[in-house]
Amino acid sequence: MPNNRLFTTTVAMFMENLSKFRGWIANHVLGRLYAGLNKENVSTNSILWGYYPVALVALIGLIISVGLFMQSMSWEKQQAEIAFHETAQDRILLIKREIKFSLGIIQDIASYIEASEAVGRREFRKFVGPALKNQAGIETLAWVPKVDFENYDQFLDFARISFPPFEIKELTPAGQSKSKKVEGHVYYPILYVQPYQDNKPMLGLNIGTDTQVKSLFEESVIKGTRLIANRSIIDSQTQQSVAGIAVVVPVFVKSDEEQPESTQKNLRGYALGIFNIGEIIERALDNLRPGSVDVRLYQGITTTDETLLYTHFSRSRQLDQLSVTDLEKSGISYIEMIDVENLSWSVLCTPVFDKFEAKTFTSWIILLGGCAFTALLTIYTANLVGQTNQIRHQVAERTALLRLTVEELNQEVMERKAAEAELQNLNETLEHHIASRTAEAERRAEYLEQFAYVTSHDLKAPLRAVSNLAEWIEEDLTDKLDDSSKEQLALLRDRVRRMHDLIEGLLEYSRVGKTSDVEAIIDTRELIQEITDSLSPQKGFTIKIKGEMPVLKADRLQLGQVFSNLISNSLKHHGGRKGKIRISSKQVGNYYEFTVCDNGQGIASEYHDKVFKMFQTLKSSDYNNSTGIGLALVKKIVIEHGGSIHLNSAVNEGACFTFLWPYTPAEDNQIYNKIEGKLTG
Amino acid sequence: MLSKNESILLIEDDRVDIMTVQRALKKNKISNPLFVARTGHEAFNMLRGDNGKEQVTPALILLDLNLPKMSGIEFLHKIRNDPNLSDQRIIVLTSSNEPKDRDAAFEYDVDDYIVKPHSFSEFTRAIATILELWE
């Protein structure tokens, strides 16, 4: 599993690099501390210095990863916030609309009453009926006429038409009590109130005594517009105090003037509405899907617990049964002011659940990916650096090895040179020896040659003299000598001649092998013809050449000597009066084989070796005119030229001398032919 | 063939050989004057007329190679380097059959090289042949 192995090795390398890095830190940082004291690890440090890039890569990679992560986080958070803001804005818009819608009824009531001379109880109920049914948060809708002391009774009469037990009541610390008719006093009793069932106790209540209401009334009159005040109300269902608002709209006497004077004098009364703000908000958000947004309504611009009017908890909470604290951790929020007439509210939206939490999944992936990439890059760099170090190390090692090898080689070269010099010396000595030996040999050969030369002359001259003198004596004393003296003189001359022949033979024998570099192209047929002619055989002898004879390159004199001696040997020792000599040739390997055969008396096989020895003749010297040198000379010549000779003969069956002469290549013949061509052409 | 008054100078140290030549001439009935010098020096004295010797101008010199003191080859060398005598015609008459000697003699432009035959009769024939073919 190559991948696994790769992984393992990479991890191993990484670990090794890490440990090296640790080692580097140990060496380097501590080394700095103990600088000057300990410089042993310099080389190790220099190697570890190479790992700087690894740390750098890791650092840069981490920084980039974290940076990207943070950027992504903030972006995602921003996205979440934008989404949340949009959601929150939607909600606040709805709330605003709902509030406007809900509060609109008060204005409607005011306009309705202002437009009518008199409004009956039933008319009022009818008018507000749809609003009560359709609009949210309406706790109380009331018409509060202004009742002066002058028309106190008149008012009571009017009121009792539709509701007989009507009384103007006062709110006292003990409860409610019947109001007293006091001169100069202005009353603000609630004449009509809806929904009646919930607000029954309020009927006839003079709310002008309430300081808060009174100031609200007065202010609204001065401004001539609708006014709103925060007011906690008792929820009719839960009987708990909840945040509410009171809205008053002053209604003035209808006048012909375009702009009715909004004064206390023209005031007819107030349209009053009390709203459950919570219900309005709930109604506003009711139609939305659960949005995971908590909405808090604060009085004014501050958002403290004291100013908190209402909290709408997201319906997601109830579904998920999560605790409040769990869900309020998210840092994002949205706040917007709602201005309605004189009142300002702050609406704070906070997300619940994790819907508006930043989806940091991508960021984490980026971080993880970045880290992984950094790790890989670091490993790769470490690997590279490691390899580089390894290579550097190897190069250093190899260089050292190479240096060593070169030194060894140098050493060897030196040794070889020394050996060579020695050998040269030895050679020279040897050559010197050889030269001196050769010189000596040459000197001896020369001496021998000189000796042979001198001998031949010094021996031949007196012999000739003796021979001549004997002949002259015989001539001069022809008449005076008796036959025996004549015979003795003839013998003397014959012996002298034999001695002469011996000397000649010796000379020739000694001459063989002596440098005769006069090699010529020889037509052996011609050569043999010449020899045959010069030997002038006796009558009755035939010498024939059978078949092809070669043309070769050889020492003419010596090859001629061989043929001459062999033929004359046959002539001499034939023993008969008529004889035949046959000469033939053929090529055998690298040799020419020449055969000279006669039909003479033959030679017994026991003498076959002897005939080639010096001075060996098979006859007594008295009957023999041969010197015993001829065949020895033939053998010597043939052997000196690298050939061989043997005799094939038996008594009375003739003799065949066969000798091998080295073959000379054809090109020589070609040369010969050329020369011949030139000569003839 | 030598004309009648043309002389022959024989340079030969061996008395028997001198006699052989003399006898061979006589036997061939050749009566031309024959002068004999026993050494090369003597021969030069005779050829130049030095040292009280009567000058001879032979048509032909018969030269032995094996001479005491001055060898035949040395004589040849000397005579061929003598401006007055360098044209002298010479026949070598020697007992040496060595190619070395033969080659050396022909180097000095001798007319012939004759190995002294062993037998007197051959010798006589050889002398006759030389002189008959002389021109």
Side-chain angles (χ1 to χ4, degrees):
Chain A
M1 300 280 275
N3 284 340
N4 272 350
R5 211 162 62 198
L6 180 70
F7 179 70
T8 337
T9 44
T10 322
V11 166
M13 197 169 290
F14 185 62
M15 294 312 284
E16 190 186 289
N17 288 342
L18 263 184
S19 66
K20 274 181 184 170
F21 192 67
R22 274 213 303 277
W24 173 78
I25 289 171
N27 284 331
H28 214 67
V29 177
L30 295 179
R32 280 275 159 89
L33 291 176
Y34 301 121
L37 292 174
N38 184 4
K39 292 205 169 183
E40 280 175 3
N41 290 324
V42 171
S43 60
T44 325
N45 282 351
S46 70
I47 289 168
L48 284 166
W49 269 102
Y51 285 92
Y52 257 140
V54 180
L56 203 66
V57 163
L59 197 68
I60 290 170
L62 279 174
I63 287 169
I64 289 171
S65 300
V66 170
L68 280 172
F69 169 68
M70 282 165 74
Q71 190 67 30
S72 171
M73 284 289 269
S74 86
W75 185 77
E76 284 190 337
K77 206 167 175 183
Q78 211 176 342
Q79 288 302 109
E81 265 178 27
I82 286 166
F84 172 69
H85 284 179
E86 281 171 0
T87 313
Q89 277 169 349
D90 286 351
R91 272 155 179 72
I92 289 165
L93 204 68
L94 284 171
I95 291 165
K96 271 183 179 175
R97 230 176 61 187
E98 199 63 40
I99 288 171
K100 198 179 165 189
F101 189 47
S102 290
L103 300 195
I105 188 62
I106 308 299
Q107 194 71 51
D108 290 348
I109 293 166
S111 302
Y112 174 63
I113 292 168
E114 195 173 288
S116 327
E117 280 297 320
V119 178
R121 186 184 178 88
R122 282 183 69 188
E123 285 165 326
F124 182 79
R125 196 175 67 219
K126 260 192 172 173
F127 184 76
V128 300
L132 286 174
K133 202 182 280 178
N134 295 328
Q135 287 162 31
I138 300 173
E139 285 294 323
T140 310
L141 291 173
W143 166 239
V144 185
K146 178 186 155 192
V147 179
D148 295 334
F149 174 72
E150 288 84 24
N151 51 15
Y152 185 87
D153 293 323
Q154 190 189 337
F155 169 72
L156 276 178
D157 292 341
F158 175 74
R160 279 168 186 164
I161 294 166
S162 52
F163 194 70
F166 187 85
E167 289 291 343
I168 293 177
K169 290 180 277 186
E170 296 286 334
L171 200 65
T172 59
Q176 287 184 350
S177 63
K178 193 182 169 189
S179 181
K180 287 171 197 137
K181 186 183 175 188
V182 182
E183 193 171 340
H185 219 96
V186 180
Y187 301 90
Y188 295 100
I190 293 172
L191 179 59
Y192 307 134
V193 67
Q194 285 293 337
Y196 178 69
Q197 285 303 316
D198 296 333
N199 296 292
K200 216 162 135 184
M202 288 177 74
L203 193 69
L205 193 67
N206 177 19
I207 54 170
T209 54
D210 186 301
T211 50
Q212 198 189 352
V213 172
K214 195 180 177 181
S215 67
L216 190 69
F217 281 178
E218 282 168 1
E219 205 181 327
S220 76
V221 168
I222 291 161
K223 288 184 175 171
T225 57
R226 185 170 65 174
L227 271 190
I228 307 162
N230 291 305
R231 187 190 172 85
S232 58
I233 52 165
I234 306 298
D235 189 89
S236 53
Q237 288 165 5
T238 58
Q239 295 301 314
Q240 278 175 343
S241 176
V242 295
I245 50 170
V247 181
V248 287
V249 177
V251 179
F252 297 98
V253 177
K254 202 166 62 175
S255 76
D256 298 333
E257 293 168 38
E258 285 294 311
Q259 292 289 319
E261 208 177 338
S262 50
T263 54
Q264 194 70 33
K265 200 178 85 186
N266 292 328
L267 184 75
R268 275 179 71 187
Y270 298 97
L272 171 71
I274 292 168
F275 298 90
N276 184 338
I277 193 77
E279 266 181 38
I280 294 173
I281 291 169
E282 290 302 334
R283 171 66 71 89
L285 303 177
D286 193 36
N287 291 330
L288 285 173
R289 282 182 297 159
S292 303
V293 180
D294 281 351
V295 181
R296 285 175 175 80
L297 190 75
Y298 294 91
Q299 184 183 333
I301 55 166
T302 50
T303 55
T304 56
D305 286 346
E306 283 82 37
T307 58
L308 181 67
L309 295 180
Y310 182 75
T311 305
H312 162 82
F313 289 110
S314 168
R315 277 162 292 172
S316 311
R317 281 174 180 278
Q318 289 141 20
L319 292 173
D320 290 341
Q321 300 284 313
L322 294 169
S323 71
V324 176
T325 48
D326 281 343
L327 298 165
E328 287 177 350
K329 281 176 183 169
S330 161
I332 57 173
S333 63
Y334 183 76
I335 191 160
E336 196 177 316
M337 301 297 291
I338 298 177
D339 292 312
V340 185
E341 305 300 341
N342 59 322
L343 212 62
S344 289
W345 289 306
S346 299
V347 182
L348 175 69
C349 297
T350 49
V352 296
F353 197 40
D354 55 354
K355 191 178 171 186
F356 293 103
E357 257 177 51
K359 297 286 181 293
T360 53
F361 181 66
T362 319
S363 304
W364 285 107
I365 283 179
I366 286 172
L367 182 64
L368 274 175
C371 286
F373 184 73
T374 304
L376 280 174
L377 204 66
T378 308
I379 288 164
Y380 179 67
T381 314
N383 197 358
L384 270 186
V385 169
Q387 275 178 355
T388 311
N389 279 346
Q390 207 177 338
I391 286 165
R392 204 177 291 149
H393 190 66
Q394 275 179 357
V395 165
E397 251 177 26
R398 299 260 164 96
T399 309
L401 203 71
L402 201 68
R403 199 169 290 138
L404 206 71
T405 314
V406 166
E407 274 170 18
E408 277 173 8
L409 269 174
N410 274 343
Q411 187 71 28
E412 206 175 315
V413 165
M414 299 280 273
E415 278 170 13
R416 290 216 177 160
K417 273 189 178 168
E420 207 174 294
E422 207 174 315
L423 203 68
Q424 184 80 24
N425 244 351
L426 212 66
N427 243 357
E428 276 169 13
T429 316
L430 209 65
E431 271 170 16
H432 186 71
H433 274 289
I434 288 166
S436 69
R437 289 279 167 90
T438 311
E440 199 185 328
E442 278 172 0
R443 210 164 53 241
R444 281 188 186 178
E446 210 175 322
Y447 175 75
L448 208 66
E449 195 183 328
Q450 193 65 29
F451 175 76
Y453 179 76
V454 169
T455 308
S456 71
H457 285 262
D458 293 359
L459 294 181
K460 271 161 76 185
L463 274 179
R464 198 174 52 248
V466 168
S467 170
N468 285 355
L469 287 169
E471 195 177 338
W472 297 336
I473 288 167
E474 211 181 342
E475 257 180 40
D476 292 351
L477 302 177
T478 313
D479 303 334
K480 292 170 187 168
L481 284 176
D482 55 13
D483 287 348
S484 102
S485 297
K486 279 181 186 171
E487 193 195 340
Q488 283 163 8
L489 278 172
L491 277 171
L492 173 71
R493 277 168 56 200
D494 180 65
R495 293 297 185 271
V496 168
R497 189 197 52 76
R498 198 182 292 174
M499 179 126 191
H500 173 266
D501 288 350
L502 267 173
I503 290 166
E504 281 291 330
L506 271 175
L507 273 175
E508 275 172 3
Y509 188 87
S510 78
R511 234 183 257 127
V512 172
K514 227 157 49 177
T515 55
S516 58
D517 46 7
V518 225
E519 295 221 319
I521 307 290
I522 302 160
D523 185 341
T524 46
R525 182 179 288 272
E526 273 176 24
L527 180 70
I528 292 163
Q529 217 86 58
E530 268 175 41
I531 289 163
T532 313
D533 290 349
S534 73
L535 285 174
S536 54
Q538 297 159 266
K539 279 191 175 173
F541 274 87
T542 55
I543 300 173
K544 275 190 180 166
I545 297 168
K546 280 172 77 181
E548 289 285 312
M549 291 302 283
V551 173
L552 50 80
K553 195 176 160 192
D555 182 335
R556 186 181 179 90
L557 271 177
Q558 301 207 338
L559 184 59
Q561 185 89 60
V562 171
F563 280 114
S564 170
N565 284 13
L566 287 175
I567 294 165
S568 63
N569 188 67
S570 289
L571 291 174
K572 272 183 205 164
H573 301 292
H574 187 273
R577 298 191 64 80
K578 285 185 177 180
K580 282 179 183 171
I581 297 172
R582 297 282 178 274
I583 298 162
S584 63
S585 169
K586 67 179 179 189
Q587 197 184 320
V588 177
N590 286 329
Y591 293 92
Y592 297 107
E593 189 190 84
F594 294 100
T595 310
V596 179
C597 287
D598 64 49
N599 59 346
Q601 57 193 357
I603 301 163
S605 61
E606 63 254 43
Y607 303 117
H608 282 189
D609 285 339
K610 246 182 175 178
V611 294
F612 294 112
K613 295 236 165 82
M614 272 288 253
F615 307 121
Q616 291 291 333
T617 66
L618 303 178
K619 287 179 186 169
S620 106
S621 54
D622 277 352
Y623 304 99
N624 185 15
N625 56 357
S626 70
T627 57
I629 293 174
L631 290 177
L633 187 62
V634 164
K635 188 174 183 181
K636 194 180 176 192
I637 291 170
V638 169
I639 285 167
E640 284 284 344
H641 283 86
S644 63
I645 187 163
H646 77 269
L647 168 64
N648 185 14
S649 176
V651 177
N652 295 327
E653 286 180 13
C656 275
F657 287 92
T658 304
F659 70 93
L660 295 174
W661 192 267
Y663 172 78
T664 44
E667 62 200 57
D668 288 331
N669 293 340
Q670 285 170 2
I671 290 164
Y672 169 77
N673 290 338
K674 268 186 198 167
I675 292 164
E676 200 175 47
K678 270 184 190 170
L679 289 172
T680 53
Chain B
M1 192 69 179
L2 278 174
S3 55
K4 219 174 184 182
N5 293 323
E6 282 177 319
S7 61
I8 299 165
L9 174 61
L10 172 68
I11 307 171
E12 174 61 77
D13 62 325
D14 190 295
R15 262 194 71 205
V16 180
D17 281 344
I18 297 167
M19 283 165 69
T20 313
V21 173
Q22 283 169 338
R23 267 186 100 106
L25 287 173
K26 197 174 164 188
K27 203 156 194 176
N28 286 316
K29 299 192 173 76
I30 292 165
S31 55
N32 292 59
L34 176 75
F35 300 97
V36 177
R38 304 291 292 265
T39 68
H41 291 289
E42 197 185 343
F44 271 113
N45 285 338
M46 291 168 81
L47 288 167
R48 289 166 182 160
D50 288 349
N51 293 336
K53 294 278 181 183
E54 192 185 339
Q55 190 177 11
V56 293
T57 49
L60 163 68
I61 290 177
L62 295 171
L63 174 66
D64 183 20
L65 290 182
N66 192 21
L67 293 169
K69 290 174 188 168
M70 185 193 290
S71 76
I73 300 298
E74 279 167 341
F75 175 83
L76 282 169
H77 178 78
K78 215 168 173 182
I79 198 167
R80 290 300 181 220
N81 287 310
D82 188 313
N84 297 321
L85 302 169
S86 59
D87 293 340
Q88 180 65 54
R89 299 181 70 175
I90 300 165
I91 287 172
V92 172
L93 189 65
T94 179
S95 55
S96 169
N97 195 19
E98 290 293 315
K100 193 177 78 180
D101 286 337
R102 187 185 290 267
D103 293 347
F106 279 112
E107 284 274 305
Y108 290 107
D109 192 26
V110 296
D111 281 66
D112 208 344
Y113 184 99
I114 295 160
V115 180
K116 289 172 184 168
H118 179 67
S119 71
F120 178 66
S121 50
E122 279 175 51
F123 199 105
T124 309
R125 273 203 300 279
I127 290 290
T129 314
I130 291 165
L131 295 177
E132 271 165 25
L133 296 175
W134 191 258
E135 44 188 52

